[in-house]
Amino acid sequence: MDGMLERLRRLPYEDIGFAELDHHRDLRRGFPEVILGEGKSEEQVVAIAERLAADSDRLLITRVDVETYGAVKERLPDVHYHADARAITLDRSGGPRWPGVVVLCAGTSDLPVAEEAAVTAELMGSQAERYYDVGIAGLHRLLDKLEAMQSARALVVVAGMEGALPSVVAGLVAAPVIAVPTSVGYGASFGGLAPLLSMLNSCAAGVGVVNIDNGFGAGYLAAVINRQSREGLRE
Amino acid sequence: MDGMLERLRRLPYEDIGFAELDHHRDLRRGFPEVILGEGKSEEQVVAIAERLAADSDRLLITRVDVETYGAVKERLPDVHYHADARAITLDRSGGPRWPGVVVLCAGTSDLPVAEEAAVTAELMGSQAERYYDVGIAGLHRLLDKLEAMQSARALVVVAGMEGALPSVVAGLVAAPVIAVPTSVGYGASFGGLAPLLSMLNSCAAGVGVVNIDNGFGAGYLAAVINRQSREGLRE
Amino acid sequence: MDGMLERLRRLPYEDIGFAELDHHRDLRRGFPEVILGEGKSEEQVVAIAERLAADSDRLLITRVDVETYGAVKERLPDVHYHADARAITLDRSGGPRWPGVVVLCAGTSDLPVAEEAAVTAELMGSQAERYYDVGIAGLHRLLDKLEAMQSARALVVVAGMEGALPSVVAGLVAAPVIAVPTSVGYGASFGGLAPLLSMLNSCAAGVGVVNIDNGFGAGYLAAVINRQSREGLRE
Amino acid sequence: MDGMLERLRRLPYEDIGFAELDHHRDLRRGFPEVILGEGKSEEQVVAIAERLAADSDRLLITRVDVETYGAVKERLPDVHYHADARAITLDRSGGPRWPGVVVLCAGTSDLPVAEEAAVTAELMGSQAERYYDVGIAGLHRLLDKLEAMQSARALVVVAGMEGALPSVVAGLVAAPVIAVPTSVGYGASFGGLAPLLSMLNSCAAGVGVVNIDNGFGAGYLAAVINRQSREGLRE
Amino acid sequence: MDGMLERLRRLPYEDIGFAELDHHRDLRRGFPEVILGEGKSEEQVVAIAERLAADSDRLLITRVDVETYGAVKERLPDVHYHADARAITLDRSGGPRWPGVVVLCAGTSDLPVAEEAAVTAELMGSQAERYYDVGIAGLHRLLDKLEAMQSARALVVVAGMEGALPSVVAGLVAAPVIAVPTSVGYGASFGGLAPLLSMLNSCAAGVGVVNIDNGFGAGYLAAVINRQSREGLRE
Amino acid sequence: MDGMLERLRRLPYEDIGFAELDHHRDLRRGFPEVILGEGKSEEQVVAIAERLAADSDRLLITRVDVETYGAVKERLPDVHYHADARAITLDRSGGPRWPGVVVLCAGTSDLPVAEEAAVTAELMGSQAERYYDVGIAGLHRLLDKLEAMQSARALVVVAGMEGALPSVVAGLVAAPVIAVPTSVGYGASFGGLAPLLSMLNSCAAGVGVVNIDNGFGAGYLAAVINRQSREGLRE
Amino acid sequence: MDGMLERLRRLPYEDIGFAELDHHRDLRRGFPEVILGEGKSEEQVVAIAERLAADSDRLLITRVDVETYGAVKERLPDVHYHADARAITLDRSGGPRWPGVVVLCAGTSDLPVAEEAAVTAELMGSQAERYYDVGIAGLHRLLDKLEAMQSARALVVVAGMEGALPSVVAGLVAAPVIAVPTSVGYGASFGGLAPLLSMLNSCAAGVGVVNIDNGFGAGYLAAVINRQSREGLRE
Amino acid sequence: MDGMLERLRRLPYEDIGFAELDHHRDLRRGFPEVILGEGKSEEQVVAIAERLAADSDRLLITRVDVETYGAVKERLPDVHYHADARAITLDRSGGPRWPGVVVLCAGTSDLPVAEEAAVTAELMGSQAERYYDVGIAGLHRLLDKLEAMQSARALVVVAGMEGALPSVVAGLVAAPVIAVPTSVGYGASFGGLAPLLSMLNSCAAGVGVVNIDNGFGAGYLAAVINRQSREGLRE
């Protein structure tokens, strides 16, 4: 245990007033700290982004609008904006991307969440194959992607409304399914509660669920699983 | 309006102390009053059954155990007990049964609710084709019943857990789907809340939902729809 | 099963980037794909509408404002806007409409949902008789429509607040009642939860419930039931 | 204010170890302290009953079984047991009972709660006219009691399931309606939540709601209202 | 029963397109139809108000802003606006007002709901004594009003947050307490759920609860109770 | 930070197969590990009790029945059983007990939870003054204890039903109030949700809330606060 | 009891129309009345502030924006605005501040609630040591503050999302932990319900919970506990 | 797509009356069908077990008591019973087990769920390292296992109460964390809702959540992830 605690103890972090930055997260968890843009001012996002980018070759900022992107770009000209995902990325790693992550979503309105997952997985070193609008009401559109689904090593399945898609998919594949409920819908959806409960009660084994609208969390988990199954765990 | 109110006013009913029996329901609604056994004593069930059977050639008692069945049978020897459905029926009508109702359920534990629906539909003059254990985790088992499903005029689809079966079925057929959530499941099923919300949020149109575990209600509604589409509405 | 799968497999659909259009839904389900306007941009609605209209003689777009209507009309001059229902329809089918659907609602504020149901049923080939503001607090207004209610083959009953109207109506008619809870109300309505639970627990049999504010779903289901009872199922 | 505080301060109560008895409640609120039997041991009920009966000519113990009744009767031979209501009463007041309270319930299984209300109102000096099993699914049974309902000065309306009865009744009468939801039902009743919400959202004015299954509270409130409207407030 | 049905049947109402007006409600329930302004357009409010005012000497419109008041005043110059209550009233009855209704509220922010109750009670012929900001955290402020509370024949008690005020008050008075939870508060108030549940579980008997923020319903109920206890029921 | 981590690292614990015992908790938190009896077998409780008693002069086992007490007593003859609290204690510390903790409860049925709090506080070195059955429906019983309440340094206030007692008490005292909701009640109490929400929304400052029925947690917190205010914090 | 009631009775308060001010709260509770700015007009806030400041040397107004601050400052030039906390304070007491309160929060977005707690504690005479952004996902950042945490006499721990920080902290310290859930988060946070439940179910003893986002309540409670443990209770 | 559909179509299954067995699930999903014992009769379990064992060299039956085990053992003498997990396994595969799965739980009462996960993972070919009773209230017990945790390729983390353990663990490791909430706890745990929400809102990325008490689902998912990362996906 000594070694571990010693390493824990020595982990440096930086206090920039309103946030303490964890520069060694990359070492410990295999990915640098991510900035959740929501609830932060443009100035805060820019400041944190600059500091993190000084120590890392990759950067992810989620839930930001295009104005904030402009402000970040002034300081970090090589960032990229993903309008559908509402995310900013910076990737100077130049590393290859392993195939293996498939992202599916049930309807057009689930697309932003699906894109957040895909962009996250890509930045973490995975290729993300996208199949959108393949809801269960038109089963043939889904079955048409069966081959792609069955060759994946991790699937992110995004759905609102009745949230049945992950269960249907999990019944057809052997790889882990990361289910993401969305708040898309109305009435008895209760802000995504309906698909959330649906996914937690999936009759098909092999499904792990993340928070409503949490595309980032799903993409992160899928990329970790895919990376492990390609290269083995980082020692 | 006069005629209607006159008819309403003249509807006779019988006060037997703890219940007022509605002998003209058959006339008004096309089916005699049903006895919900749950929460009634054996004596109460027997008394109500006897009175209703005096005026009607059909009788349905739901949610009763085999002991109550014994007590009813002493007074009404031609009743029948359906162990899976936990229902007592009596049918002296001798009428034919129209095909058109299909009852599907997702798992073995949903069977009692599915049987309650099937028995109800049968007593109301429909044939009920049953396909059980055709959950979405094994899509091929379900697709194998496609032809039967597509020839139905009303489908009762019973499911617990994630409750996705009615949505999948509704995407494949043109006839109305009556969805029945069940309280089967545990944890985040919350007593059937999960499949209930799932069914209400179905992405496929053509789905009407009834209360959790309400096999009777679903069978009743399916039989009404089937009867209408076969013989036209009773004038 | 082969034939079915073969047909499923061969169903064409069209990928227009942000949506995969299901042109054969009409064949499979008896009605073309419907566009839920909510959550789609004006451009997306126009693009999908144009493609669907190329292959179908009927079109329904729900939950759109009058601006989007203007944009659609530029491309499809024969569309019609239903302001109360907030829906766009296009109907080149020229077919007759069968009587049999009755739409009731409890209060003035439930009117938009009721109209969405009526417009949907009409586009699907049914006449929709409307009786609005017939809530149970003034029972005589409701009873005055008894004759019309009893001659229907499918009733859509829309109610917010305590949601009792479908139960009262179902006690008076033999035809199926499609109950639609609305989010109208305040406080312990909890966004329509109160009438939703009320309708699911209806003491009257013959009631199927759809999602809160889901006028489209109710109108669709009523039209399917009415069509079946008039012409028999489409083979 | 002095007088009031003086009176408050001087109110005697008696400490019997596990309970502090409020002998002056009768003076302050017009009715002696009531014993909720549920959750108390037989010994506790007997001890409290004896003490209260020493100072009051009326006594009410709710939610007790017949065994506890036996134990109480040994000490207080003039108590009476109401099996349906599961209540013990003692009334040595010999006072007249004013007509004016009507108790309605929707189904046979709501009867115990309705009886608790009726017994409570009677002990508090009101006559309680009972009309049971007059649910809204058979409106003619209810309308047949219209005259009695309209001559009441306070109505207790008990209902489980969809809980619509109080709304329907309140639309027909001018006197206050005390609505009591019951936990009777299953599935989406959620232990009485459905009728509770239904009653709180009643579209008819003049409805006050009490807790689920709280027959005592409803009977108490109805008796207070009736007494006031007959004799004027006790000064 | 004939007489009743005859009267029910003959009740006239007027269809003005988007609403059916119930001119005989006054006869049946002792008070004319009330207009809930929320969710109605200015035009609709004006049109309904004009029609109702033609047949009634009193009028109440709740939840309207001052602009709508201006529009109504153009047609009905003798209407009055109550800014705190956000209500419009018209009273040409000239009748006296009976004392007996007391309106209490726990905090300044509960004032609009309390005022809606008070204005309603006044229009229905009661005087409404108001005591605001007498929450339980400063018990002496409340106890100072004890005499007034104890001379009331109906008390409306409005509270948000923990909603304890009605229970405290009901322990001090003999007259009925109408409890109104408000949506004032934040966090675990959950839009008024906290005080609503609190009031339903009141340990003090004699409390009837209305919907969250339903000042109108509480004022109506209090006025009905007060009127009955003063003049006896209208035959 | 080194010292702290060093101390954390060196904390010994003992693995007894089904549990890892934390012998240094006393050092770190000022009180030894407590055994929650619920959900443990008699054998497990005895085994853990014996081990802990070997290293500590005080022991607390909560939620155990008298049978388990017998089994523990065989091994640890100086344990004591508190029947109302359903708790076993052992106290060989012989230390004095500081006055300052007052435990109040609203009704007789809240007594077990109140006793669990009192017994816990006592074992932790505080005297616990108890005032039970002082609910707000009889305010004079409560006000009679005002002097005792105002001399406390920590008050545990236990209440079910509407849960208003902690708010009323907190308005009268300066010391911290630990509020404990209980699951006592029925219907819309929803297992203690009603008093829980009520306490969290308290309009009086100075209230901290613990879990429903968590007498132990409340007694622990009160004793910690009292100890601090008497002796200062243990360095 | 006489003395107490006498004191209660004599407590003066001032009626300023829309609020009754409790000038003796300082005497009774050790802190003057606090103004919750939310839901009050600028004029109301200014008026109440002026009156309270006339009788007290300290003043706290929570949840106000900088415009209201400007208006208050015109009348009370020595007030101070805390932008992060959105609070106005005035402190003419000139008293010393005792160390002992530590305020921790899990993320940058919890900062406003944490600041409200810190500012409140300071105004009440405590020093407030702040450690922000020490969430459990980076345990080393938290453990680095162990020494400071262990020397506190009251800790306010603010967290949204999974709300685990108070449990982790309470396992490391002996002093009371005041846990504040925040509404920060999305999806299954349900407005702060997730961290609220998490904190109430804390496996570590010594945790008291306040309402979601209730920084004021937490700071108040922490200051009371700290003051008691430093100076003894005010007699 | 043809090949896929062809394979789907040809999947054989066996109808044994009350269940349709899916013999090819092994092929499709890499693991044979699992029998959920709960809600099935002893006879049903035995019958299904026999059939499945005829076609597969591994078998898992969850949530069964020791009596059912006896009955199964009569027919399948080489089955094994895991008392803590309440599971029956049969493993004739003789294959090696890969290290890589770590199962952690927070308290003794979470042990049955943790064991269900461990037994499932083992039967699926993984070694399962177990560390129980390492809750966050004693952080040093958890940190002592850091090395083992960091060498895992999939971690199952089981916790009831506040459910914080998965978040703490996920902050320390790079591999995926499967979080399992348990229904252990009381009061505001609401049957496991508290830890479920806590886990879904985890501030640490890399967490997938399964249903409350779903040890099987977690073990399955962990084994799939571990297998993939060891051998690559089965083609």
Side-chain angles (χ1 to χ4, degrees), chain B residues 57-143:
Chain B
D57 58 5
R58 288 172 302 166
L59 186 69
L60 174 60
I61 315 176
T62 62
R63 308 200 174 189
V64 276
D65 54 29
V66 73
E67 282 72 36
T68 304
Y69 164 64
V72 173
K73 202 176 177 61
E74 276 184 38
R75 301 299 182 87
L76 300 167
D78 48 350
V79 293
H80 186 71
Y81 190 61
H82 307 260
D84 281 333
R86 302 190 60 238
I88 297 170
T89 56
L90 175 150
D91 191 350
R92 300 163 177 160
S93 67
R97 293 190 173 160
W98 293 284
V101 171
V102 164
V103 181
L104 301 159
C105 79
T108 313
S109 17
D110 301 321
L111 198 144
V113 175
E115 271 301 305
E116 190 182 282
V119 164
T120 300
E122 286 171 344
L123 190 66
M124 289 180 67
S126 285
Q127 291 174 24
E129 240 176 300
R130 293 147 166 97
Y131 299 104
Y132 296 163
D133 202 12
V134 289
I136 58 164
L139 219 48
H140 56 292
R141 292 189 288 205
L142 176 67
L143 291 177

Side-chain angles (χ1 to χ4, degrees), chain F residues 13 19-20 28 211-212 214, chain H residues 108 133 137 141 144-145 186 188:
Chain F
Y13 53 88
E20 304 205 330
R28 197 167 79 256
N211 195 1
I212 298 164
N214 189 5
Chain H
T108 313
D133 202 11
R141 292 190 289 205
D144 200 28
K145 277 83 189 184
Y186 60 87

Side-chain angles (χ1 to χ4, degrees), chain E residues 107-109 111 131-134 137-141 143-145 161 185-190, chain G residues 8 11-13 18-22 25 28 33 38 40 44 63 190 193 196 211-214:
Chain E
T108 312
S109 16
L111 197 144
Y131 299 104
Y132 296 165
D133 203 12
V134 289
L139 219 48
H140 56 292
R141 292 189 287 205
L143 291 177
D144 199 30
K145 278 83 190 183
M161 306 193 80
Y186 59 89
S189 163
F190 294 121
Chain G
L8 248 191
L11 288 183
Y13 52 91
F18 52 87
E20 303 204 331
L21 305 181
D22 182 355
R25 185 188 294 260
R28 196 168 79 256
E33 195 160 13
E38 200 169 67
K40 295 205 179 65
Q44 288 179 319
R63 305 194 176 195
F190 295 121
L193 179 65
L196 171 63
N211 194 3
I212 298 164
D213 293 335
N214 189 5

Side-chain angles (χ1 to χ4, degrees), chain E residues 41-155:
Chain E
S41 69
E42 200 174 290
E43 291 69 33
Q44 288 178 319
V45 169
V46 171
I48 303 178
E50 249 189 312
R51 299 286 178 101
L52 288 176
D55 272 342
S56 167
D57 57 4
R58 287 173 301 165
L59 183 71
L60 174 61
I61 315 175
T62 62
R63 305 195 177 194
V64 276
D65 52 29
V66 73
E67 281 73 34
T68 305
Y69 164 64
V72 174
K73 201 174 176 63
E74 277 183 37
R75 301 298 181 89
L76 301 167
D78 49 350
V79 292
H80 186 72
Y81 189 61
H82 306 260
D84 282 331
R86 301 190 62 237
I88 296 170
T89 56
L90 175 150
D91 191 351
R92 301 163 176 161
S93 67
R97 291 190 174 160
W98 293 283
V101 170
V102 164
V103 180
L104 302 160
C105 79
T108 312
S109 16
D110 301 321
L111 197 144
V113 175
E115 271 301 304
E116 189 182 282
V119 165
T120 301
E122 286 171 344
L123 190 65
M124 290 181 66
S126 286
Q127 292 173 23
E129 238 175 303
R130 294 147 166 97
Y131 299 104
Y132 296 165
D133 203 12
V134 289
I136 58 164
L139 219 48
H140 56 292
R141 292 189 287 205
L142 176 67
L143 291 177
D144 199 30
K145 278 83 190 183
L146 196 52
E147 224 137 353
M149 291 193 282
Q150 292 190 330
S151 65
R153 301 204 161 203
L155 299 101

Side-chain angles (χ1 to χ4, degrees), chain C residues 19 27 35 44 67 75 91 105 133 157 176 178 186 201 223:
Chain C
L27 196 86
I35 308 171
Q44 288 178 319
E67 283 72 35
R75 301 300 182 88
D91 190 352
C105 79
D133 202 12
V157 187
I178 316 303
Y186 60 88
N201 285 281

Side-chain angles (χ1 to χ4, degrees), chain H residues 70-89:
Chain H
V72 174
K73 200 175 178 62
E74 276 184 39
R75 301 298 182 88
L76 301 168
D78 49 349
V79 293
H80 186 71
Y81 189 62
H82 306 260
D84 282 332
R86 302 189 60 237
I88 297 171
T89 56

Side-chain angles (χ1 to χ4, degrees), chain A residues 8 11-13 18-22 25 28 33 38-40 44 63 190 193 196 211-214, chain G residues 107-109 111 131-134 137-145 161 185-190:
Chain A
L8 249 191
L11 287 183
Y13 53 91
F18 51 87
E20 304 204 330
L21 305 181
D22 183 355
R25 186 188 294 259
R28 195 168 81 256
E33 195 158 14
E38 201 169 66
K40 296 207 178 64
Q44 288 178 319
R63 305 195 177 193
F190 295 120
L193 178 65
L196 171 62
N211 195 2
I212 298 164
D213 292 334
N214 189 4
Chain G
T108 312
S109 17
L111 198 144
Y131 299 105
Y132 296 164
D133 202 11
V134 290
L139 220 48
H140 56 291
R141 292 189 287 205
L142 176 68
L143 291 177
D144 199 29
K145 277 83 189 182
M161 303 194 83
Y186 59 88
S189 163
F190 295 121

Side-chain angles (χ1 to χ4, degrees), chain A residues 198 201-203, chain B residues 105-107 109-110 157-166 180-186 189 192 194-196 198-199 212-213:
Chain A
S198 185
N201 285 281
S202 176
C203 59
Chain B
C105 79
S109 17
D110 301 321
V157 186
V158 181
M161 305 192 81
E162 92 291 302
L165 189 57
V180 194
T182 66
S183 57
V184 164
Y186 60 88
S189 164
L196 171 62
S198 185
M199 292 170 186
I212 298 164
D213 292 335

